[in-house]
Amino acid sequence: MADRSFLSWPFFEDKHRALAEGLDAWCAANLHVDHSDTDAACRSLVAMLGQGGWLKHSGAGEGEALDVRSLCIIRETLARHDGLADFAFAMQGLGMGAVSLFGTPEQRKWLDKTRAGQAISAFALTEPGSGSDVARTATTAVRDGDGFILNGEKTYISNGGIADLYVVFARTGEAPGAKGLSAFLLPADTPGLEIVERIEVVAPHPLAHLRFNDIRLPASAMIGQPGRGFQVAMSVLDVFRSTVGAAALGFARRALDEALARVKERQLFGAPLHELQMVQGHIADMALDVDASALLVYRAAWTKDMGAPRVSREAAMAKLNATEAAQRVIDTALQLHGGDGVRKGFIVESLYREIRALRIYEGATDVQKVVIARAALDA
Ligand SMILES: Cc1cc2nc3c(=O)[nH]c(=O)nc-3n(C[C@H](O)[C@H](O)[C@H](O)COP(=O)(O)OP(=O)(O)OC[C@H]3O[C@@H](n4cnc5c(N)ncnc54)[C@H](O)[C@@H]3O)c2cc1C
């Protein structure tokens, strides 16, 4: 049983504690999905999470705000049970983040579907020539009458190939660099959208390279103001970056649980493995990493929920620390399993694959360091 003591920290309200307990029980009863077909598993997880009512937290209904503590608790809990379930939940939130924060009433109708698990969403920012350097976005949306013509490519797009709608960031040219981008809502059945390649990664989930071939978009597809696409993207990441930390925390907690069970049960040199002091040292390091990550993740989430306009520094610290710490915790848990640690079918083996990409996407670790250093230097 994972440590639940963090739920009594002052960051939380009773509704968060109830959410954590309720979701944990739901996961134990329901998350037994076959992962052999990743697309089918994701579709089924989105539908299940919708029916269970959990996806309503992934987007903000009319007049509501996203509750970042709820997002983090859900991601942590799902990640502890099933990485693909966390992915399915997270992408409904990230994909629709721009609509939750800036959508028109018409655009928000999509939220009714994504929050019910009846439509799958995606967030399309990264391009072959611009990953960390968003200001170099080359995809263009050129004004044409009362609409736009979209051309370009996006890569590493989660849910690419199975999504019902994509939020796409493109250059509209109001100014050079980051000040000339806008965000658009693109339904997947729009003529001209091409799935060029499905990308396979160490922890399988739907991922694709997309091409936009002279796609005609109505003016009403624009999310937020023209030329404000970079701010839209950064505002979305400001909310969801802490939740990546929460997912990493969930993976780390699971790894710690697996390690604890293993060292209590495994007999070596005439005693359980946990009696060796060097093993106890590893356990202490893991427990410390888990709690330090939880403190930073929920500090960032609480700060945002208390009304801070931006939490770039707090979210960067939370994401950087939690993802790097989870990698260490999982690696140690795997080591304590010996040969079984690298064996298919063992939880620590899949956690070892699951954690890696979190140190790269939504801002790589080095990019988070730049954010933290800038905040420190500006203070
Ligand atoms: C599994 C997975 C899922 C993804 N899902 C999505 C998605 O749904 N939507 C989307 O838009 N994108 C998605 N991405 C893309 C992801 O956001 C990018 O991979 C990430 O932003 C890094 O960009 P890049 O791969 O082009 O690496 P690059 O930008 O080439 O960076 C490579 C490395 O250079 C270093 N570096 C970069 N910038 C700096 C800096 N300023 N200072 C110091 N060092 C630096 C870092 O070590 C970094 O890892 C996903 C990626 C993966 C792996």
Side-chain angles (χ1 to χ4, degrees), residues 123 125-126 131-132 156-158 205 207 357 360-362 364 366-367:
F123 176 83
L125 180 64
T126 302
S132 309
Y156 288 106
I157 304 309
S158 296
H205 69 248
L207 200 63
I360 298 169
Y361 62 61
E362 292 189 43
D366 289 333
V367 174

Side-chain angles (χ1 to χ4, degrees), residues 243-305:
T243 79
V244 179
L249 173 61
F251 291 144
R253 270 198 214 283
R254 181 63 183 265
L256 176 57
D257 285 352
E258 296 294 318
L260 289 171
R262 177 76 178 199
V263 299
K264 285 180 187 169
E265 167 256 310
R266 179 78 168 157
Q267 300 286 323
L268 286 180
F269 310 108
L273 190 51
H274 71 81
E275 290 196 6
L276 298 176
Q277 281 198 343
M278 213 181 303
V279 170
Q280 292 175 14
H282 289 314
I283 297 292
D285 288 342
M286 295 162 89
L288 180 60
D289 265 338
V290 165
D291 263 26
S293 296
L295 281 163
L296 283 172
V297 164
Y298 290 111
R299 188 268 298 251
W302 174 84
T303 307
K304 185 76 181 163
D305 288 343

Side-chain angles (χ1 to χ4, degrees), residues 87 91 94 122-134 154-160 169 201 203 205-207 357-367 370 374:
F87 168 82
M91 286 315 303
L94 180 70
F123 176 83
L125 180 64
T126 302
E127 299 187 357
S130 65
S132 309
D133 189 2
V134 175
K154 296 284 175 184
T155 194
Y156 288 106
I157 304 309
S158 296
N159 276 342
F169 295 84
V201 286
H205 69 248
L207 200 63
L358 278 67
R359 293 168 57 209
I360 298 169
Y361 62 61
E362 292 189 43
T365 290
D366 289 333
V367 174
V370 173
R374 276 193 194 139

Side-chain angles (χ1 to χ4, degrees), residues 50 55-61 64 92 110-117:
L55 281 177
K56 71 176 190 301
H57 298 277
S58 69
E64 295 172 7
Q92 294 298 90
W110 276 104
L111 275 168
D112 298 337
K113 290 189 171 183
T114 58
R115 294 172 83 211

